[in-house]
Amino acid sequence: MCRLACALLTALLAPAAQARDTMTWLMPDIPPASMPVDGKPTTGIADQIVLYLSAHWPAVEHRFIYANPKRTWLMVERGERACVVAALRNAERDKLAYFVNTNLVPPLQLVAQENTVPRLPLNAHGEVDMEKLLADPALRGIIVERRSYGAAVDLLLAKRPATSRLETTSVGDYGRNVLKLVSHGRADYTLDYDYALQYASRTEPDIGALKTVPIAQNNKPMLGGIACPRNAWGMATVKRIDQIVGTAEGAAAMIKAQNSWHTQASQQRYAVQINEFQRQRAKPTH
């Protein structure tokens, strides 16, 4: 009698135990943030981060879901037991999730051919004044239609004068085709993240010759991290993740994942801030 009752009790408890023992990671669906092979992480930024975490968290089974931002943040908002990897942090997302900061990400850059850089309106720090650039009738820019380039830059783009030579295009491929247009001289500049240029240049030598220039109105690095739902499970999970990455080895692994997809120029440009972030990241914060 006891044997049957115990068997039934074990069967009833098994699903709950399985749920507790599974860690679900929500992975970005844009390279080089992630570059899955057969649904498994490989060499992307988020891939390397989650591979480090899973290697140092063997007590649970790790599951990976590659999803677009809309699906990802809807799951977080619903409080589902899953955490977003390599998420940029902002005030809106802080209302939905608890965060573990893992990286200091270089901000959006202006991308241009090397011979275009001397023609840009640069300040004393070598940063391009975006407002002056948009008003310059001699320089042609191109950006992706309906893409957000961050609040500060989006505002400048919306307020640009009617005479601005900045054009929009609906081409896809995550802006990679726009980089090709600049490299072939069809436009003087575009806007993108340093890691996007690095990714595109791995297969397109012409793109690799393009240069990045910091934007004066958008020159602060952004916090990137792992976001978990704002509930008891999310808080407990964030604390566990923070313990894993909050070591010298963990902090170095986070920076290595990022630097593998950033140009040397960008790494040098933000070296002081990133090194200080790594120093603080080398210990738990929760």
Side-chain angles (χ1 to χ4, degrees):
M1 190 72 178
C2 178
R3 184 180 300 174
L4 178 60
C6 290
L8 287 172
L9 183 60
T10 300
L12 287 171
L13 291 176
Q18 180 64 26
R20 285 195 299 272
D21 292 340
T22 301
M23 182 61 220
T24 300
W25 302 102
L26 299 172
M27 308 292 287
D29 63 348
I30 302 175
S34 63
M35 303 171 67
V37 174
D38 297 326
K40 301 292 185 182
T42 57
T43 59
I45 298 171
D47 295 337
Q48 294 180 61
I49 290 172
V50 84
L51 285 173
Y52 181 86
L53 288 167
S54 58
H56 290 77
W57 197 355
V60 300
E61 178 184 348
H62 296 272
R63 180 170 167 253
F64 311 101
I65 296 178
Y66 291 84
N68 61 42
K70 182 177 180 179
R71 180 189 175 193
T72 291
W73 290 102
L74 184 59
M75 290 177 69
V76 172
E77 188 173 7
R78 288 174 176 169
E80 297 188 30
R81 293 190 170 194
C83 296
V84 188
V85 185
L88 289 178
R89 189 170 184 176
N90 57 38
E92 182 181 354
R93 290 176 175 178
D94 273 336
K95 295 175 183 176
L96 300 176
Y98 294 120
F99 270 82
V100 179
N101 296 331
T102 57
N103 297 90
L104 197 65
V105 184
L108 185 83
Q109 308 278 301
L110 183 132
V111 183
Q113 288 190 8
E114 187 170 12
N115 58 12
T116 300
V117 175
R119 299 164 57 199
L120 299 173
L122 303 178
N123 62 20
H125 303 290
E127 302 164 334
V128 63
D129 185 319
M130 199 70 201
E131 194 168 8
K132 289 182 179 179
L133 176 63
L134 290 171
D136 189 336
L139 291 167
R140 303 162 299 151
I142 188 167
I143 57 174
V144 178
E145 185 180 17
R146 295 189 179 181
R147 177 180 173 183
S148 174
Y149 292 90
V153 175
D154 285 348
L155 183 60
L156 289 171
L157 298 177
K159 292 168 56 180
R160 69 185 185 272
T163 55
S164 175
R165 295 192 68 189
L166 179 70
E167 299 178 1
T168 61
T169 178
S170 59
V171 297
D173 201 14
Y174 307 110
R176 185 172 171 183
N177 288 325
V178 175
L179 293 171
K180 286 183 183 180
L181 293 176
V182 176
S183 69
H184 294 158
R186 298 280 297 278
D188 294 310
Y189 68 88
T190 188
L191 305 173
D192 218 322
Y193 290 97
D194 184 77
Y195 60 79
L197 175 62
Q198 185 76 327
Y199 171 71
S201 68
R202 298 280 174 100
T203 55
E204 301 285 344
D206 290 345
I207 290 177
L210 296 177
K211 302 298 180 183
T212 59
V213 183
I215 299 171
Q217 292 89 346
N218 190 56
N219 59 4
K220 291 183 172 57
M222 304 166 293
L223 281 173
I226 297 170
C228 302
R230 269 195 170 270
N231 54 30
W233 179 88
M235 174 55 78
T237 304
V238 157
K239 289 181 178 179
R240 181 69 184 98
I241 296 168
D242 187 61
Q243 291 292 323
I244 295 173
V245 301
T247 64
E249 180 190 12
M254 300 300 104
I255 298 300
K256 181 181 178 182
Q258 173 179 309
N259 284 349
S260 64
W261 287 102
H262 284 281
T263 63
Q264 287 295 321
S266 182
Q267 292 178 44
Q268 292 170 7
R269 188 177 295 145
Y270 300 101
V272 173
Q273 296 100 311
I274 291 174
N275 288 341
E276 175 59 20
F277 175 85
Q278 183 177 354
R279 186 188 69 79
Q280 295 183 26
R281 179 61 280 181
K283 56 187 176 183
T285 57
H286 287 273

